[in-house]
Amino acid sequence: MKFKMIVFFLIAFSFAMPAFAQKEFNAMTFNIRLDIASDSMNSWQYRKENLASQILFHEVDILGIQEARENQMQDLQSLLKGYEHVGIARDTGRWGEYSAIFYKTSRFTLVEQNTFWLSEDIYASGKKGWDAAFPRIVTWAKLKDKRTKKVLYVFNTHFDHRGKIARRESAKLLLKQIDLIAGKLPVVVMGDFNASPSDEPIRIIEEKSNPLHLTDSRSLSASPPYGPTGTFNNWTHAEVSQEPIDYVFVKNGVRVLKHGTFSQTWNGRFSSDHFPVFVRVVL
């Protein structure tokens, strides 16, 4: 009888393990570099399939991209079979760069989505905030996991590369809007923040004394982080700095199992001038 009970529990456990694994999902932030002819052999036409292959190979369930122009959005939607996306362009909502969110439709259902501008008037389409060189946006999606029935919010952004005031105020605004939109529900925040961990915007985002703060997923990873710490390569042979400027932040009960920065090359060429940052998480 005792032997039969042991066998029963072993069988039950073997069935439970796959169910637990299915609760995990993969997310990635990726500045894909805009399509510009001056990039020559690094231009979009030569690297788009390599870039898409990274996303597909690593089985990314939720993807936040930055710097995508309309033709790049169309290419990715074609190359990433089984994905849908949300987001609008930053300049007028119709043209300019996207900070879009792609999600795997076999895993997630879209519940709600929107975009706001990082400026003094968050719904003024195409408005540049503070001292920013360009309009900057945050696209967000409320997603429901088809496997677990849990709901989470995903935010994706690209902070300005020149405006110091804009980056500081964008960090404050982002925290405020995340709290207003997502409340206490799980949150994943992705993007190119154009700031290193010691810079003011990231210090604002991670300030633990602020109840609205976020936490860098790298610091929470249950397994040792994989790959380089720097995330910008500028089309050189490797990362140009040991400091990241691309991040995945989490909040409200998102547990980080793995963190990786991927620096694969094809014949010595990267798929973008930024490395993608990958996390495996569970709610």
Side-chain angles (χ1 to χ4, degrees):
M1 185 63 153
K2 186 176 181 180
F3 176 77
K4 289 182 178 180
M5 288 297 292
I6 292 172
V7 170
F8 171 80
F9 282 115
L10 285 173
I11 293 172
F13 183 74
S14 68
F15 280 103
M17 284 299 289
F20 176 78
Q22 289 176 353
K23 294 179 182 179
E24 303 171 4
F25 63 88
N26 300 329
M28 176 185 282
T29 184
F30 205 165
N31 183 324
I32 67 169
R33 173 66 173 175
L34 74 163
D35 183 8
I36 186 168
S38 60
D39 280 343
S40 186
M41 292 304 294
N42 289 317
S43 61
W44 178 247
Q45 63 178 316
Y46 300 115
R47 57 187 177 85
K48 60 184 179 181
E49 292 184 358
N50 294 336
L51 186 145
S53 74
Q54 283 183 291
I55 297 162
L56 295 171
F57 179 80
H58 293 292
E59 301 180 330
V60 175
D61 298 298
I62 300 174
L63 170 70
I65 61 169
Q66 303 87 40
E67 285 196 24
R69 289 179 169 174
E70 183 63 36
N71 68 301
Q72 292 174 290
M73 292 294 298
Q74 293 174 5
D75 286 341
L76 284 176
Q77 188 61 74
S78 176
L79 289 165
L80 300 177
K81 305 297 184 184
Y83 292 79
E84 292 293 341
H85 73 268
V86 299
I88 58 177
R90 71 186 187 188
D91 291 273
T92 62
R94 300 177 187 173
W95 65 277
E97 296 175 12
Y98 288 70
S99 292
I101 297 169
F102 285 77
Y103 61 96
K104 196 176 287 186
T105 56
S106 62
R107 182 68 190 265
F108 291 99
T109 300
L110 178 66
V111 178
E112 188 178 1
Q113 62 87 23
N114 210 335
T115 296
F116 60 87
W117 271 259
L118 291 169
S119 73
E120 296 88 338
D121 184 349
I122 63 172
Y123 294 115
S125 178
K127 179 177 173 59
K128 291 189 286 188
W130 305 282
D131 61 343
F134 296 103
R136 300 290 180 172
I137 56 177
V138 178
T139 291
W140 60 266
K142 183 180 182 181
L143 300 173
K144 185 175 182 180
D145 190 333
K146 292 181 177 180
R147 295 178 185 172
T148 66
K149 310 306 179 185
K150 292 184 178 181
V151 172
L152 77 151
Y153 281 85
V154 181
F155 294 78
N156 183 37
T157 189
H158 187 183
F159 280 13
D160 198 67
H161 65 302
R162 291 184 184 171
K164 290 185 178 181
I165 297 172
R167 286 196 294 273
R168 181 187 71 212
E169 296 304 316
S170 293
K172 295 176 183 178
L173 178 59
L174 178 63
L175 293 179
K176 178 182 176 182
Q177 289 301 114
I178 289 171
D179 184 59
L180 288 172
I181 294 166
K184 300 299 182 183
L185 287 172
V187 169
V188 175
V189 183
M190 303 184 283
D192 173 359
F193 290 82
N194 274 310
S196 66
S198 60
D199 290 337
E200 185 178 28
I202 306 303
R203 287 191 280 111
I204 289 171
I205 288 170
E206 293 193 293
E207 177 52 60
K208 292 183 179 179
S209 64
N210 182 354
L212 305 184
H213 79 277
L214 307 173
T215 304
D216 185 0
S217 59
R218 183 182 179 90
S219 68
L220 296 176
S221 182
S223 61
Y226 172 83
T229 53
T231 61
F232 181 57
N233 63 66
N234 198 31
W235 299 129
T236 59
H237 69 283
E239 62 274 19
V240 299
S241 168
Q242 295 299 311
E243 299 283 277
I245 59 174
D246 303 270
Y247 303 83
V248 179
F249 296 103
V250 296
K251 184 180 180 181
N252 296 342
V254 178
R255 186 158 60 94
V256 182
L257 305 178
K258 290 187 176 182
H259 182 286
T261 303
F262 300 144
S263 57
Q264 296 102 325
T265 62
W266 289 259
N267 296 319
R269 295 188 182 276
F270 296 116
S271 60
S272 174
D273 62 345
H274 288 244
F275 298 142
V277 178
F278 168 97
V279 294
R280 178 168 295 161
V281 300
V282 63
L283 304 185

